[in-house]
Amino acid sequence: MNSPFGKDQFERLVRPGGPLDRFNEFTRQRARPFVERELAAVVKLGVSKILFACMVIVPTALAFIYYGFWASDRYVSQSLMTVRTADSQIATAVGGLLGSIGGTNTGLVDGYVVEAYIQSREIARKIDEAIDLRSIYMAPEADIWSRLSADASFEEFFQYYLSRIDVYFDSTANVVHLDVQAYRPEDAKRIAAAIIEISDDMVNRISQESRSDALQFALDEVKLAENRLRDNRMALYRFREEHSDLDPVRSAEAIGGIVASLEGELSRYKTELASLRSYMREDSAQIAGVKARIAAIEQQMQAERGRLTRNEDLPGTTYSDLLAGYERLLIEEEFARSAYTSTVSALELARADAGRKQAYLVAFVEPSLPDDPSKPERLLIILSFLACGLLAYGLLMLIGAAVREHARI
């Protein structure tokens, strides 16, 4: 099989007067003089003029052409929002009880959260599902360089979405500022309204989760308080059963009352004995009777006082130790009952709070319907190109001058 480019074809190409010879002649007589003439003209301009043209004139001219005659108008819808939280009664009822799950504010949402959410991928996806945001960004009113590409990936779509919104939170005034751009005024308003609606759903969802957590926490605390109260009451029951005394405190008070009564009788009989001795003999029957009563009372007082200082069932434990242990159990039971009462109150308030809204996203300035386009800021952009070009050109010239000065040294 013959080669498509054989020896005959090659000889025909390089022969005198052939195609290659004619091409060389054209290069010598036409192309080379033209290139040399044009290069000479460029060299005469100087490097600084060429750089000035490339860095200042050309970019500014392109910006002037695009933004002055081609770039599509964009309408901006503006709105103002704020987050309000209702006062929760749970923290008032339980004090610091609910502080352990993240503070006493059950809203847990502020303007920074809303600002971050508006700039998230989740809200971009939800807005696209709600109002077909891609088709809005591919509107025919948009020029080819401004509109969203039909085959754009989600990441490209998300970056485009971020370039068409402007949101920031003013913490001093507690206000979220939202600006939304679109190629039609009604589209800008629709996008802003969708952002507010979806953001409000987010605030409600977080608030609901917080209320549910608070309710579950209150339920858990009630169970713990119930168990603690039950354990303390069982400890009291076992104590009373072990010592066969329903209330050692009252028993001690009763013993103290008996001792006080005996002391009164003892004092009365001692007075009577002194009176009898003043006119009777010491060996009289009446004085002997009074002495017998006094001895009996003193013996009874000693027995009653002994009950307070010793325990017949537990020889190594005094009645004072018994009272101390009982009073400790009473105090623990009182604390447990008080904690149970507080947690039950907190549970009731948590249930009431769970049924009402705690956090609100209030758009006190609704999305506006713009009359005139305000983007792009054509003159500002063109002047920015000019200023940046001049700045870059000036810096480059300064660097060049410094290099030349250094070379002379």
Side-chain angles (χ1 to χ4, degrees):
M1 184 175 181
N2 295 330
S3 172
F5 192 77
K7 181 179 179 181
D8 295 340
Q9 287 83 355
F10 180 76
E11 291 177 351
R12 197 179 299 117
L13 182 64
V14 299
R15 70 185 177 182
L20 187 58
D21 196 19
R22 289 197 300 272
F23 177 75
N24 290 335
E25 186 68 21
F26 173 79
T27 302
R28 282 194 310 270
Q29 295 181 1
R30 300 287 185 87
R32 184 175 178 179
F34 175 79
V35 172
E36 290 176 349
R37 186 170 59 252
E38 295 300 322
L39 283 176
V42 171
V43 170
K44 287 180 181 179
L45 285 175
V47 177
S48 62
K49 294 180 180 178
I50 296 173
L51 288 175
F52 184 81
C54 293
M55 300 181 68
V56 180
I57 296 177
V58 173
T60 305
L62 292 176
F64 178 78
I65 293 172
Y66 176 71
Y67 289 103
F69 302 100
W70 196 357
S72 302
D73 291 330
R74 299 197 298 270
Y75 295 83
V76 179
S77 176
Q78 298 178 329
S79 60
L80 300 176
M81 300 168 283
T82 185
V83 179
R84 297 295 182 190
T85 55
D87 294 332
S88 175
Q89 302 176 22
I90 303 177
T92 303
V94 192
L97 184 63
L98 297 183
S100 59
I101 61 171
T104 57
N105 182 11
T106 59
L108 298 178
V109 184
D110 58 14
Y112 290 112
V113 175
V114 176
E115 178 185 6
Y117 184 72
I118 292 175
Q119 298 176 6
S120 68
R121 288 171 172 78
E122 179 181 342
I123 195 172
R125 185 179 290 108
K126 288 186 176 181
I127 296 173
D128 187 33
E129 294 173 355
I131 61 174
D132 194 8
L133 191 56
R134 287 177 180 262
S135 64
I136 292 177
Y137 287 152
M138 292 186 292
E141 288 84 355
D143 63 82
I144 190 172
W145 299 106
S146 297
R147 72 170 66 109
L148 179 66
S149 174
D151 57 349
S153 64
F154 177 79
E155 189 62 30
E156 293 172 337
F157 162 71
F158 175 65
Q159 296 301 323
Y160 190 95
Y161 161 78
L162 291 180
S163 69
R164 292 296 180 262
I165 65 167
D166 184 19
V167 56
Y168 71 95
F169 174 57
D170 183 359
S171 58
T172 304
N174 192 27
V175 173
V176 179
H177 298 252
L178 175 64
D179 294 345
V180 178
Q181 303 176 27
Y183 300 103
R184 292 187 287 249
E186 59 274 13
D187 287 342
K189 184 176 181 180
R190 284 177 61 202
I191 297 171
I195 289 175
I196 293 174
E197 181 179 357
I198 296 173
S199 299
D200 185 49
D201 292 339
M202 179 273 299
V203 171
N204 293 338
R205 185 175 70 251
I206 293 178
S207 177
Q208 179 60 43
E209 290 175 357
S210 175
R211 296 196 300 272
S212 298
D213 290 344
L215 180 59
Q216 185 60 47
F217 182 80
L219 284 169
D220 294 341
E221 287 299 312
V222 167
K223 290 179 181 178
L224 289 175
E226 273 184 2
N227 294 334
R228 181 183 175 188
L229 182 60
R230 186 183 302 110
D231 292 342
N232 278 275
R233 288 186 172 174
M234 287 300 298
L236 271 175
Y237 171 77
R238 288 192 296 269
F239 185 92
R240 289 165 177 165
E241 190 176 53
E242 179 181 353
H243 297 284
S244 302
D245 195 341
L246 290 178
D247 193 343
V249 174
R250 290 188 178 179
S251 298
E253 291 175 352
I255 292 173
I258 293 173
V259 171
S261 176
L262 291 174
E263 285 179 346
E265 289 187 18
L266 179 62
S267 177
R268 180 167 60 82
Y269 280 115
K270 283 184 177 181
T271 303
E272 182 179 352
L273 178 61
S275 175
L276 291 174
R277 281 176 173 170
S278 63
Y279 60 89
M280 286 186 179
R281 291 171 54 186
E282 187 68 26
D283 56 354
S284 65
Q286 197 168 357
I287 291 179
V290 172
K291 285 182 177 182
R293 291 191 187 95
I294 290 174
I297 292 173
E298 288 178 343
Q299 184 179 2
Q300 183 64 28
M301 286 178 60
Q302 185 177 0
E304 295 296 334
R305 284 173 176 164
R307 292 174 59 189
L308 293 176
T309 57
R310 67 179 182 274
N311 190 340
E312 296 178 356
D313 297 330
L314 298 173
T317 304
T318 66
Y319 207 85
S320 298
D321 296 333
L322 186 68
L323 285 175
Y326 182 74
E327 288 178 349
R328 178 180 56 80
L329 291 175
L330 281 181
I331 292 173
E332 289 178 357
E333 193 267 345
E334 180 64 26
F335 281 153
R337 185 168 61 252
S338 177
Y340 177 73
T341 303
S342 298
T343 54
V344 169
S345 300
L347 176 60
E348 294 302 319
L349 291 175
R351 284 174 175 162
D353 281 351
R356 66 189 182 98
K357 213 175 178 182
Q358 293 292 335
Y360 306 82
L361 182 64
V362 182
F364 60 90
V365 175
E366 294 291 337
S368 60
L369 182 65
D371 296 326
D372 300 310
S374 56
K375 298 286 184 179
E377 298 176 346
R378 304 175 189 274
L379 181 59
L380 178 61
I381 295 175
I382 295 171
L383 291 177
S384 298
F385 269 91
L386 178 61
C388 292
L390 289 172
L391 180 61
Y393 173 75
L395 289 174
L396 195 58
M397 288 298 99
L398 287 174
I399 294 172
V403 171
R404 288 193 300 271
E405 186 68 24
H406 182 73
R408 290 195 194 99
I409 298 173

